[in-house]
Amino acid sequence: MSGESPKAIFYALAANLGIAACKYVAAAFTGSGSMYAEAIHSTADCGNQLLLLFGLRQSRKAPTPVHPMGSGRAINYYSLVVALLLFFVGGAFSVYEGVQRLFAREPLQHVYIALAVLGISVVLEALSLRGALREIRAREPNKSLWRWFRETRESDLLVVAGEDIAALAGLAIAFVAVLLTLITGNPVWDAWGSIGVGALLMFIAALIAREVKSMIVGESASPEMRRDIEAFLRARSEIRSIINLITLQWGKEIVVAVQAEMIDYAESRAMVEAINVIEADLQAKFPQVRWVFFEPDFAVR
C-alpha cells in the first residue's frame, strides 16, 4: 500500500461499518451467539482500521531533533496494537461468548435473517479483500500470498489483508454453525461456531503479531530490494569492493549503510565527490532510499 493512498484501509472500513450494523440487527432478531461474535468482530475491525489510519498519519511526521529519522516506524506500533485487539477483543471475546452459550443454550429465532446477513457480509468482505489483494499484486505480482505475508515490510497492508482473510473464514464458520442449528434444532452448533470464529481470529492475530514484532525489532529491506541495491553498488566503477552492506526498513523508507573500498584517488576531495555521486544516483534509482551512510575503508586482504 502506498504511503499516501491507503485505499485498502478505506475499503475495509467501509465494508465493516455496513457489515457490523447488519450483524447487530441480525443478532438481536435471532439470538445467535455466532452472529453476535461476528458483530463484535466487525466492530473491532472498524476500530482497527481507524487506528491504522491514525498510525499512517503519525508515521508521516517530519523529522525532529528527538526523532531525527522521522516517525516512519510508528505504523508498526499501531499495527501491533491492532493485532492485539484482534486477538483479545475479537478472538477471546468470541470464545468467551461461545462457552457461555454452551451452558445456557437458547434457541435461535429468525434464522433465515442470520443466514441472509451472513451471505451479504461474505460479499462485502470479499470486495474488501479484493481491494487488499489488488494492492498486494500491484507491488509483488510474482509472489505467493504466503511468501508475501512472510517477506512484506508493509505492516498496515499486512494487517488489513489478515483481517479480511480472517473475516471471510469466520463468516464461513458462522454460516455453517447457524445452518446446522437450523437443520438440527440444536443451539450447541451455534455456540461451537462462536468458539470456532474466536479461535480462528486468535490464530491469525498471533501470526500477524509475529510478523509485525519482527518489523518493530528492525528488518532489512526486502530480499529483492537488498539484492538490487547490492548489485547497483557492485556495478559502480568508483567502488573496488563492498566490505559490508546494511539495509534497514524505516516505515515506507529505507536506510542504507555502506562500507566499501574505493578505487585510488589522487585527492581525498575527489573520493568524497565520487561518494556523493554514488549516493545521489542510488537515491535516484531507488526512491525509497531516504538515508545513505557511506564509509570508505580498506578491505582485509
Side-chain angles (χ1 to χ4, degrees):
M1 184 162 44
S2 69
E4 301 299 327
S5 181
K7 292 185 289 185
I9 299 179
F10 285 117
Y11 291 149
L13 178 59
N16 281 305
L17 283 172
I19 291 170
C22 292
K23 287 176 179 177
Y24 277 117
V25 172
F29 270 100
T30 63
S32 167
S34 294
M35 183 61 67
Y36 188 58
E38 279 292 319
I40 293 294
H41 170 209
S42 295
T43 302
D45 281 352
C46 291
N48 291 344
Q49 277 111 43
L50 290 174
L51 270 175
L52 287 177
L53 289 172
F54 180 75
L56 282 175
R57 183 175 180 179
Q58 293 294 108
S59 70
R60 295 173 189 149
K61 285 185 175 180
T64 67
V66 177
H67 299 102
M69 297 177 70
S71 303
R73 292 171 70 179
I75 186 58
N76 296 338
Y77 166 77
Y78 286 97
S79 296
L80 182 61
V81 171
V82 167
L84 294 176
L85 288 174
L86 184 65
F87 186 95
F88 290 106
V89 178
F93 184 85
S94 296
V95 171
Y96 172 80
E97 179 69 17
V99 172
Q100 289 288 97
R101 289 179 179 268
L102 277 178
F103 293 100
R105 301 178 186 178
E106 298 178 2
L108 303 186
Q109 301 174 355
H110 308 290
V111 178
Y112 292 106
I113 294 178
L115 293 174
V117 168
L118 287 170
I120 294 171
S121 299
V122 166
V123 174
L124 293 175
E125 287 288 3
L127 291 174
S128 175
L129 179 58
R130 181 185 177 188
L133 292 178
R134 188 184 296 118
E135 295 283 338
I136 294 169
R137 292 300 173 214
R139 285 153 181 75
E140 304 289 353
N142 300 318
K143 286 186 180 180
S144 67
L145 185 59
W146 176 248
R147 184 182 169 197
W148 171 84
F149 182 86
R150 295 305 310 274
E151 295 183 357
T152 184
R153 303 308 192 251
E154 296 184 273
S155 59
D156 46 355
L157 186 54
L158 174 73
V159 170
V160 171
E163 280 187 339
D164 286 343
I165 292 170
L168 273 176
L171 286 168
I173 293 173
F175 188 92
V176 171
V178 173
L179 186 61
L180 287 173
T181 300
L182 173 65
I183 294 172
T184 65
N186 188 351
V188 72
W189 290 108
D190 181 62
W192 279 112
S194 180
I195 294 172
V197 169
L200 174 70
L201 292 179
M202 293 168 74
F203 174 72
I204 292 183
L207 289 180
I208 294 173
R210 182 185 66 179
E211 296 300 321
V212 176
K213 174 248 185 184
S214 180
M215 297 180 200
I216 290 175
V217 171
E219 289 187 334
S220 67
S222 67
E224 295 85 0
M225 178 62 70
R226 192 187 187 286
R227 283 196 297 268
D228 289 345
I229 290 174
E230 183 173 2
F232 170 86
L233 292 172
R234 291 190 182 282
R236 298 293 301 203
S237 60
E238 305 95 328
I239 297 176
R240 178 169 290 135
S241 65
I242 301 295
I243 302 171
N244 194 18
L245 172 63
I246 296 174
T247 64
L248 178 65
Q249 191 73 37
W250 198 270
K252 304 291 182 182
E253 297 166 330
I254 297 172
V255 182
V256 176
V258 185
Q259 185 183 28
E261 182 176 8
M262 305 294 288
I263 61 174
D264 294 330
Y265 286 91
E267 298 180 357
S268 59
R269 182 180 181 85
M271 183 174 67
V272 171
E273 290 175 349
I275 290 174
N276 288 338
V277 171
I278 293 171
E279 292 179 345
D281 290 349
L282 178 67
Q283 291 175 309
K285 184 173 179 62
F286 304 99
Q288 306 98 313
V289 176
R290 175 77 180 277
W291 298 274
V292 182
F293 303 98
F294 200 110
E295 178 188 358
D297 205 342
F298 295 103
V300 178
R301 304 298 182 185

